[in-house]
Amino acid sequence: MDPAALEDELTCAECLQVYQDPVILPCQHSFCLKCIKRVWAHTAGPGRFECPQCRRKFNSRPSLERNFTLCNIVEKYNHSQPPVGHVACDYCDSNPNPAVKTCLKCEISLCSPHLKPHLRNKAFSGHTLIEPVSDLTGRQCPDHKEIQKFYCKDDEECVCVSCAIIGKHKSHTLLSLDEAIKVKLEGEIEKLQGVQQNCSNRQRDLERSEAEIKTRVNELKGKLSKSFSKWRRKLGEDEKSTLKLIDEEGLRALSQIRRYSEALNKRMEQITLIDGETQSLVLKDPLSFIQNSKQLLSRVTETQRVTDPDVPALTLNLSNVSQLIQKSLNGWEVYHSDILGIIRKTPLSLDPKTANCNLILSDDLRSVRWTEHEQPQPPHPERFKKYPQVLCSQSFSSGSHSWDVDTDGNNWRIGLVCQSVEREGVKSEFGNNSKSWCLDFYVDSLSAVHNCQFSPLPLIRNPRIQVQLNYEAGTVSFHQVTDSLRQLHTFQTTFTEPVFPAFHCRNKSLKLLNSS
């Protein structure tokens, strides 16, 4: 049976789709189970059940028996159809198999069995086979309805054979489609390869940075743990010393109290004894009192002449404790400096996103060299556009810092710039603005330059330079490094924002060394 006719036979009269779970009514008409339920839900009532197709009415709701015969036919039909989205073979008469190739010469799609002649027979050797397509009109020339097999380089469009022989493209430069792909995409592919290489380089940079950061984190944690342990021990020692001083001062004060208390108790005992003796004599006859009172009165007089002990206001004298605590607090300043010093001693590294396209950074981001060929770099607002310049990733907004630079070549500037320095235009060159302080070497001259003001300095050849920064003092100093440091120049200013180590390299290379 013709597949189209079979599909008509398997179509539900309600939804007009191939039956899904078909059921049969007493009138022998079939519908999808969901379709008949939906119809009756909207129209049925007492005595109002009817067949949507023949309009036969039923007094009560008929039982919905599954149409097993129709179910089997539908299942076989569904299995015979190519999967959704696949192209059917044009040679298959019934139950078409999915096509595996489309022949552009024959303009047909072929399943695996029907493709074999194209693969074995030499008569088909010139036929072009592609992945299956259902519609070839998009590949046909709109004028001649032939498959487009050539590319017109002049008009940059695909054309057919007739276009090339008798059409408007007959005098144009024509390429095969394979050649066109190579010519048209070669440049773009090279660019993509450049981008891919750049991504690969950046991935390696990220992996290297990841390893360096992990190493640095472990080093910092080790140093900080050691420092914190040291200061924890010192804090424990300070605690013991302070508590001991407080205990000693408490014992001293309590000892004084006991001494004065004992003196007062002794005097009160003497007075109590004299009073007792006096009371005993009073009870005797007057003659006995007078005869024995002389010695007693002498003791009373002597007791009265003794001065009562002068008891001072007794308090804790914590001056020694205060001095110890102050000494400890002074030590904590050293502790803060120690901890911050560990954290700040991060090795400097060059920042790729700021590097001009004529600069090449080393893998460890510690060296920069100049090249006359621009490197493919992604655009970035922090990248220097006009001059071969690059900044470090690290910035400073406090403290004292220094770093050494090995110089090579006869055209470079090294120094310090503010975060807000311009990134393009004449004013972006280090030294040509108010936000940069540089040492400039050009051919046979050495100068200190700031805000376009040059201060000539004695000439030195391929030196190692040390840059020293004191942020709070507002000084930037340059020294030549030999066996000792030779000061070249010092700028005095006031910093109001973070500053970055900066490098301008127009010839050969510059290399970052140790930093502190």
Side-chain angles (χ1 to χ4, degrees):
M1 180 182 289
D2 180 32
L6 179 61
E7 186 172 342
D8 289 341
E9 292 293 330
L10 300 179
T11 299
C12 171
E14 264 311 301
C15 65
L16 302 181
Q17 302 292 328
V18 175
Y19 288 113
Q20 291 187 6
D21 196 11
V23 292
I24 188 168
L25 301 184
C27 62
Q28 301 304 304
H29 289 124
S30 295
F31 301 91
C32 299
L33 177 61
K34 290 183 179 179
C35 291
I36 192 62
K37 284 185 175 181
R38 183 175 62 251
V39 170
W40 286 351
H42 289 87
T43 63
R48 295 179 57 190
F49 293 97
E50 66 178 24
C51 171
Q53 190 166 352
C54 69
R55 301 304 178 184
R56 176 180 172 181
K57 298 185 182 297
F58 308 101
N59 294 328
S60 60
R61 175 171 174 162
S63 61
L64 297 175
E65 301 292 338
R66 189 175 187 188
N67 192 332
F68 289 101
T69 302
L70 196 54
C71 285
N72 292 333
I73 297 174
V74 168
E75 185 176 357
K76 290 180 181 179
Y77 172 79
N78 287 334
H79 281 297
S80 70
Q81 299 306 301
V84 176
H86 285 219
V87 179
C89 175
D90 292 322
Y91 269 149
C92 293
D93 293 331
S94 61
N95 299 333
N97 294 317
V100 293
K101 293 291 181 181
T102 294
C103 176
L104 295 181
K105 179 74 172 179
C106 302
E107 298 185 17
I108 58 173
S109 296
L110 306 166
C111 63
S112 293
H114 290 118
L115 178 65
K116 290 179 181 179
H118 272 71
L119 299 178
R120 295 174 180 174
N121 196 329
K122 291 184 179 180
F124 298 106
S125 61
H127 291 208
T128 302
L129 299 174
I130 63 171
E131 293 303 310
V133 292
S134 59
D135 185 6
L136 290 173
T137 56
R139 293 174 168 268
Q140 293 177 345
C141 168
D143 296 331
H144 305 101
K145 307 304 178 186
E146 298 177 13
I147 297 295
Q148 296 168 325
K149 297 182 178 180
F150 298 97
Y151 177 78
C152 176
K153 191 175 181 181
D154 298 337
D155 294 333
E156 296 185 347
E157 62 182 17
C158 294
V159 300
C160 68
V161 174
S162 296
C163 287
I165 298 175
I166 60 174
K168 59 183 179 181
H169 301 278
K170 63 181 180 180
S171 60
H172 294 180
T173 302
L174 300 177
L175 302 174
S176 69
L177 295 182
D178 290 338
E179 290 174 330
I181 291 174
K182 182 178 179 181
V183 172
K184 190 174 181 64
L185 297 181
E186 191 173 45
E188 297 300 324
I189 290 173
E190 287 181 359
K191 291 179 182 178
L192 287 176
Q193 290 173 343
V195 172
Q196 183 183 31
Q197 183 61 44
N198 184 55
C199 292
S200 178
N201 293 338
R202 290 184 174 278
Q203 182 63 33
R204 286 197 299 271
D205 291 342
L206 289 174
E207 292 172 355
R208 182 174 58 255
S209 298
E210 180 183 14
E212 291 176 353
I213 287 173
K214 288 180 178 178
T215 301
R216 182 60 180 162
V217 165
N218 291 332
E219 290 176 353
L220 280 175
K221 288 170 66 176
K223 291 180 180 178
L224 288 172
S225 294
K226 186 180 295 185
S227 184
F228 278 118
S229 296
K230 168 189 170 184
W231 285 99
R232 274 195 296 270
R233 288 194 300 271
K234 186 178 185 308
L235 180 61
E237 293 169 359
D238 288 346
E239 179 185 13
K240 290 179 180 179
S241 299
T242 303
L243 295 178
K244 182 180 178 182
L245 278 180
I246 292 175
D247 284 340
E248 291 174 350
E249 176 58 24
L251 291 174
R252 183 196 64 78
L254 293 175
S255 177
Q256 282 186 313
I257 291 174
R258 283 193 294 269
R259 187 170 66 250
Y260 285 119
S261 178
E262 289 172 358
L264 289 172
N265 286 335
K266 185 176 181 181
R267 182 163 172 74
M268 287 188 294
E269 288 173 0
Q270 290 175 346
I271 294 173
T272 301
L273 182 60
I274 292 172
D275 182 60
E277 292 178 0
T278 302
Q279 295 297 329
S280 297
L281 288 176
V282 169
L283 296 176
K284 294 182 179 182
D285 61 279
L287 177 61
S288 296
F289 177 80
I290 292 172
Q291 289 175 343
N292 296 292
S293 64
K294 184 177 179 179
Q295 183 182 3
L296 181 61
L297 292 173
S298 175
R299 288 169 60 195
V300 171
T301 302
E302 181 181 351
T303 300
Q304 289 175 344
R305 283 200 300 266
V306 175
T307 306
D308 290 337
D310 185 11
V311 180
L314 296 175
T315 59
L316 290 174
N317 182 2
L318 299 179
S319 59
N320 289 339
V321 177
S322 298
Q323 291 175 3
L324 178 61
I325 292 175
Q326 185 60 52
K327 183 179 179 182
S328 297
L329 291 176
N330 293 338
W332 284 109
E333 293 180 1
V334 177
Y335 158 74
H336 289 151
S337 177
D338 185 18
I339 297 299
L340 292 177
I342 292 173
I343 294 175
R344 286 172 175 167
K345 287 181 180 178
T346 300
L348 295 178
S349 58
L350 301 174
D351 188 352
K353 69 177 180 293
T354 67
N356 177 266
C357 291
N358 286 100
L359 295 180
I360 298 176
L361 306 185
S362 61
D363 289 341
D364 62 0
L365 300 180
R366 301 278 289 169
S367 299
V368 55
R369 64 183 177 88
W370 179 83
T371 175
E372 63 180 2
H373 303 292
E374 286 195 3
Q375 304 301 301
Q377 299 288 1
H380 197 282
E382 295 185 29
R383 191 177 306 285
F384 289 98
K385 310 297 191 303
K386 184 175 179 63
Y387 298 102
Q389 302 177 152
V390 63
L391 301 182
C392 278
S393 298
Q394 297 77 16
S395 64
F396 305 115
S397 54
S398 64
S400 297
H401 312 272
S402 67
W403 56 95
D404 291 1
V405 184
D406 259 349
T407 65
D408 190 15
N410 58 8
N411 191 343
W412 50 259
R413 289 184 183 184
I414 59 176
L416 202 69
V417 304
C418 292
Q419 186 175 29
S420 61
V421 71
E422 294 183 21
R423 306 297 166 136
E424 55 184 322
V426 176
K427 287 293 184 180
S428 66
E429 186 174 23
F430 300 157
N432 285 1
N433 52 69
S434 62
K435 297 183 178 182
S436 57
W437 301 262
C438 300
L439 197 66
D440 172 79
F441 187 88
Y442 181 69
V443 187
D444 291 322
S445 65
L446 181 70
S447 303
V449 56
H450 167 66
N451 205 16
C452 296
Q453 299 297 315
F454 287 77
S455 301
L457 301 173
L459 183 63
I460 51 179
R461 292 290 183 182
N462 294 334
R464 175 178 293 187
I465 301 298
Q466 182 172 108
V467 185
Q468 296 180 357
L469 163 68
N470 187 321
Y471 193 92
E472 284 74 18
T475 59
V476 185
S477 299
F478 298 91
H479 298 76
Q480 181 184 9
V481 181
T482 54
D483 294 335
S484 60
L485 291 180
R486 173 192 171 195
Q487 184 172 355
L488 300 174
H489 188 81
T490 297
F491 290 103
Q492 182 69 55
T493 186
T494 299
F495 297 115
T496 58
E497 59 179 296
V499 290
F500 291 78
F503 307 88
H504 176 120
C505 178
R506 194 181 287 276
N507 176 264
K508 295 192 176 180
S509 65
L510 297 172
K511 182 178 182 180
L512 264 168
L513 300 175
N514 57 297
S515 58
S516 61

